[in-house]
Amino acid sequence: MTPFEHLTSAALACSHQRAFVGGVVQHPQTGKFQLWFLPTGRDIEPLRAYESQAQAAASYHALRRAFSSGNPTRLAEAFAAVSETGENPASFPPDFLERLRLGVQKALAARGITVCFAS
């Protein structure tokens, strides 16, 4: 199973929650806009990298709409479509990832959702 297939599986497993936690950030070293996803509350996973923020945002919104539909088939199709776009993402540097985690935790806490990341 590829990392992308693993993330698709994780997304399908938690699709009943009808909440998509993800976003787009610019990688501090490559300058590319990376789509990321928090599939299970364990850690942030970079999905795809794009030259433009608009491309990354379009992929993000496609996944979010599919996830919110609650339809596992639609979600799997959206992940398959996104996997054909952009390129493989670079890993986030540890300090950048930590700041992203803290931002996600703060945003989710404001909505009454607690998340603890894997160590």
Side-chain angles (χ1 to χ4, degrees):
M1 180 179 285
T2 69
F4 207 85
E5 289 168 334
H6 176 72
L7 288 174
T8 302
S9 256
L12 290 170
C14 64
S15 64
H16 68 281
Q17 296 171 0
R18 305 197 32 113
F20 182 84
V21 180
V24 174
V25 294
Q26 190 170 22
H27 194 283
Q29 294 166 333
T30 68
K32 295 191 178 183
F33 294 90
Q34 291 197 181
L35 171 62
W36 62 269
F37 175 52
L38 179 64
T40 61
R42 300 277 303 155
D43 210 351
I44 292 170
E45 299 286 346
L47 296 177
R48 302 302 290 161
Y50 301 88
E51 293 292 331
S52 81
Q53 189 172 11
Q55 292 170 311
S59 289
Y60 165 77
H61 290 299
L63 286 177
R64 185 174 177 179
R65 282 190 303 275
F67 194 88
S68 295
S69 76
N71 181 328
T73 302
R74 186 172 170 200
L75 183 58
E77 289 168 353
F79 264 91
V82 166
S83 74
E84 299 296 321
T85 67
E87 59 190 60
N88 289 330
S91 296
F92 293 124
D95 61 328
F96 182 85
L97 183 58
E98 187 57 31
R99 287 193 311 272
L100 184 56
R101 286 176 182 145
L102 290 173
V104 168
Q105 283 178 319
K106 185 176 180 180
L108 291 176
R111 300 164 111 188
I113 301 169
T114 303
V115 63
C116 297
F117 292 103
S119 307

